[in-house]
Amino acid sequence: MQQIKFLSNNQILLNNQLYQGYNIGELPNTFGFIYNEDEDKDGISEWFNYKGLTYVAK
């Protein structure tokens, strides 16, 4: 069974992995794409929603 530990500043610890929680208007610019060819940079393509926040692995 997976355990969630709530930390400060919208962070949680889930199975020894740290996740940062964001509101919809505060998502990072790299959210929602896999790869940006113009900037040669990876985007955020994996996330999950929990209790109104979108969590992204740090």
Side-chain angles (χ1 to χ4, degrees):
M1 183 164 188
Q2 298 179 354
Q3 290 184 332
I4 297 175
K5 183 175 182 181
F6 293 93
L7 306 172
S8 62
N9 298 330
N10 291 334
Q11 292 182 343
I12 61 172
L13 191 63
L14 176 64
N15 293 334
N16 295 325
Q17 175 70 34
L18 184 64
Y19 292 90
Q20 176 66 44
Y22 296 98
N23 289 319
I24 294 297
E26 300 171 350
L27 289 169
N29 292 335
T30 57
F31 182 80
F33 68 88
I34 298 171
Y35 184 75
N36 187 351
E37 293 177 6
D38 297 335
E39 297 179 17
D40 196 33
K41 194 163 117 177
D42 289 333
I44 299 171
S45 61
E46 295 183 6
W47 65 87
F48 67 94
N49 297 322
Y50 183 69
K51 291 193 175 185
L53 294 175
T54 301
Y55 288 93
V56 176
K58 272 192 135 178

